Amino acid sequence: MASTEIARQAGEGARAVPLSGHVGFDSMPDQLVNKSVNHGFCFNILCVETGLGKSTLMDTLFNTKFEGDPTQHNQPGVTLKSNTYELQESNVRLKLTVVNTVGFGDQINKEDYKPIVEFIDAQFEAYLQEELKIKRTLHSYHDSRIHACLYFIAPTGHSLKSLDLVTMKKLDSKVNIIPIIAKSDAVSKSELAKFKIKITSELVSNGVQIYQFPTDDESVAEINSTMNSHLPFAVVGSTEEVKIGNKMVKARQYPWGTVQENENHCDFVKLREMLIRVNMEDLREQTHARHYELYRRCKLEEMGFKDTDPDSKPFLQETYEAKRNEFMGELQKKEEEMRQMFVQRVKEKEAELKEAEKELHEKFDRLKKLHQDEKKKLEEKKKSLDDELNMFKQKKTAAELLLNQAQQAGASTTLKRDKERK
């Protein structure tokens, strides 16, 4: 009875939620937006150009002045230089990285694309290594993968250079390429229209896949479809402000007039709208879902990883065991090779020692024989000297004997004479 009363009193203070009422999961997009805004965004741009006003265009695109040293055009090769900037617009933070290709096109070398390809692959590899870690920190990892490649084309009005075609062909499977005709005010409008058609025709005939603005989203399908027909964009960048009418606008001033950053004079507004306002997230998504996935798949297949049927072991475990068995087999093979090499070296060393011992014995025998020969010669010489000495002694004895006999004979003769005198 007491428990029933307590439950009744607790029920009086509780909220009654009707089953057919509003649940609230329609706030999920707002939650995602808030989370993304708090975390911030990153966007990485690769500028492939040869002194065609890249710095001016980037400053104008993001309406800021990026600090950086001027690029020298006396490099022996191509080097890539990255600069990262923290930008904020309203409450949205953007970490922008601009990568410059210093020295690209300065030398007559069709292999200038290699450092660029290696740089893009290095960013993919760094992300893959972070992804393969046991303890990953992808939420705080600075993603350095290239999201967009702004390929600057010289406004020659004729055709693409062979270096441009080769480079874009090598990059189209690794990065989103957006071709740009820089300093387009150098050619007339009619020449520019023909130049765009010629560039598009050359890209198609050479099989170069440039980035196409997506048309699967109904909200942007119409504008993206229209803008795809304007590729490549012809742009004119300027950081100088010129007074036109009653307002100040960014423009390039010439003796014959001014070139403004509006759609009547160039495609700069279209480029900014397509690159930043409409398709920035799609560029990031295409980088991850297409280009990075292609690199990741090729790299994992190269490492021996493969997908398996659901009934078999997990592919990581199976691949690990296969790699482990392969490694153990290689280790045993190397161990056997090292053992055989050790045995071979021991045998070679033994043969060398035996050869040295043989040489020592031969040398000892030669010295021994030489010693015996010398000793024999000395003995013969000693015997000869002894014989000469004995002969000398005999001669000396004979001489002494003769001398004595002569002395005795002389003495007897003297005595006889003395007697005769007496």
Side-chain angles (χ1 to χ4, degrees):
M1 184 66 180
S3 60
T4 304
E5 182 65 20
I6 293 172
R8 184 184 63 78
Q9 293 175 0
E12 291 176 353
R15 291 187 300 166
V17 180
L19 296 178
S20 60
H22 178 260
V23 177
F25 56 78
D26 59 354
S27 66
M28 280 292 294
D30 297 331
Q31 296 177 35
L32 289 175
V33 168
N34 294 333
K35 185 176 181 181
S36 298
V37 169
N38 291 331
H39 184 264
F41 301 90
C42 73
F43 193 63
N44 307 318
I45 300 177
L46 170 66
C47 297
V48 181
E49 57 92 28
T50 54
L52 294 173
K54 177 270 307 173
S55 301
T56 302
L57 179 65
M58 296 305 297
D59 291 350
T60 313
L61 266 178
F62 291 92
N63 196 23
T64 186
K65 178 63 178 176
F66 294 116
E67 299 295 333
D69 298 328
T71 302
Q72 301 296 327
H73 293 277
N74 55 0
Q75 301 291 332
V78 179
T79 57
L80 282 87
K81 183 179 179 182
S82 299
N83 292 306
T84 302
Y85 309 95
E86 298 282 349
L87 306 179
Q88 183 163 347
E89 190 173 50
S90 298
N91 63 333
V92 178
R93 291 179 293 106
L94 176 67
K95 181 179 285 187
L96 175 68
T97 300
V98 180
V99 183
N100 301 325
T101 54
V102 181
F104 178 81
D106 291 342
Q107 310 296 329
I108 305 176
N109 186 1
K110 288 187 179 181
E111 295 188 350
D112 278 355
Y113 66 85
K114 287 187 176 181
I116 303 175
V117 172
E118 291 171 358
F119 178 85
I120 295 173
D121 286 345
Q123 312 317 307
F124 284 153
E125 182 65 24
Y127 191 89
L128 178 62
Q129 292 301 322
E130 181 65 28
E131 196 177 46
L132 292 176
K133 287 181 181 179
I134 296 175
K135 187 177 180 181
R136 301 183 296 181
T137 56
L138 291 175
H139 63 282
S140 60
Y141 176 77
H142 174 54
D143 187 2
S144 60
R145 296 173 296 177
I146 301 299
H147 300 123
C149 171
L150 301 183
Y151 197 99
F152 290 73
I153 300 171
T156 60
H158 301 292
S159 61
L160 289 171
K161 295 183 293 186
S162 57
L163 174 63
D164 295 331
L165 290 171
V166 171
T167 303
M168 282 194 274
K169 185 61 179 175
K170 294 293 182 180
L171 296 179
D172 63 357
S173 62
K174 297 179 179 294
V175 70
N176 302 311
I177 300 176
I178 302 176
I180 295 174
I181 302 174
K183 298 182 179 180
S184 61
D185 54 340
V187 293
S188 64
K189 279 192 174 183
S190 59
E191 291 175 341
L192 188 59
K194 294 178 182 178
F195 190 35
K196 282 189 175 186
I197 295 173
K198 191 168 185 62
I199 289 173
T200 304
S201 174
E202 288 183 341
L203 292 177
V204 172
S205 61
N206 286 275
V208 178
Q209 300 291 327
I210 63 173
Y211 175 73
Q212 295 290 317
F213 302 117
T215 56
D216 52 353
D217 187 352
E218 294 181 357
S219 61
V220 295
E222 184 177 354
I223 186 173
N224 279 348
S225 179
T226 304
M227 291 304 170
N228 281 330
S229 64
H230 284 85
L231 289 171
F233 290 135
V235 299
V236 178
S238 175
T239 56
E240 298 178 2
E241 291 190 349
V242 179
K243 187 174 182 179
I244 298 178
N246 296 323
K247 61 179 180 178
M248 300 294 292
V249 296
K250 289 184 177 180
R252 284 185 176 273
Q253 193 162 14
Y254 296 96
W256 44 263
T258 58
V259 179
Q260 302 177 41
E261 295 172 352
N262 57 40
E263 296 189 54
N264 293 326
H265 292 180
C266 67
D267 298 330
F268 176 80
V269 176
K270 297 184 180 68
L271 173 63
R272 173 187 274 175
E273 187 172 7
M274 290 296 97
L275 179 66
I276 301 174
R277 296 179 184 175
V278 180
N279 298 301
M280 180 180 280
E281 182 55 33
D282 184 73
L283 287 164
R284 287 158 43 91
E285 184 179 342
Q286 285 291 324
T287 299
H288 181 80
R290 181 186 169 196
H291 302 298
Y292 170 69
E293 283 299 321
L294 176 62
Y295 176 85
R296 177 180 176 274
R297 183 174 74 246
C298 295
K299 196 69 175 181
L300 292 180
E301 288 176 352
E302 191 179 302
M303 294 167 63
F305 291 95
K306 60 181 179 179
D307 295 329
T308 58
D309 298 329
D311 298 333
S312 60
K313 294 180 182 178
F315 77 97
L316 282 173
Q317 180 181 351
E318 185 175 314
T319 305
Y320 166 75
E321 291 178 356
K323 281 289 183 182
R324 183 177 182 277
N325 294 334
E326 181 182 353
F327 174 75
M328 292 302 294
E330 291 179 357
L331 186 64
Q332 291 177 357
K333 183 179 178 181
K334 288 183 178 180
E335 185 178 355
E336 180 65 22
E337 290 177 355
M338 290 181 67
R339 190 185 67 80
Q340 292 179 359
M341 187 181 297
F342 176 76
V343 172
Q344 181 67 23
R345 288 187 176 181
V346 168
K347 289 181 178 179
E348 291 176 357
K349 199 66 178 177
E350 288 180 348
E352 290 178 3
L353 291 173
K354 287 182 179 178
E355 186 69 22
E357 184 179 6
K358 182 180 178 182
E359 291 179 359
L360 286 174
H361 280 299
E362 291 177 353
K363 187 176 181 180
F364 175 75
D365 293 339
R366 288 197 302 271
L367 291 174
K368 185 177 179 180
K369 184 178 179 183
L370 183 62
H371 173 71
Q372 289 176 350
D373 292 342
E374 291 291 335
K375 184 179 180 181
K376 185 176 180 182
K377 288 180 180 179
L378 289 174
E379 289 178 349
E380 290 177 354
K381 191 172 183 180
K382 181 182 178 183
K383 183 179 179 183
S384 176
L385 291 174
D386 289 341
D387 292 342
E388 289 179 1
L389 182 61
N390 293 330
M391 183 67 68
F392 176 75
K393 288 181 177 180
Q394 290 177 3
K395 287 181 178 181
K396 182 181 179 181
T397 303
E400 290 178 349
L401 181 61
L402 289 174
L403 180 62
N404 290 331
Q405 289 177 358
Q407 289 177 352
Q408 289 177 1
S412 59
T413 304
T414 303
L415 291 174
K416 186 177 180 180
R417 285 178 181 174
D418 290 338
K419 286 181 180 180
E420 289 176 357
R421 288 175 184 171
K422 292 179 176 180

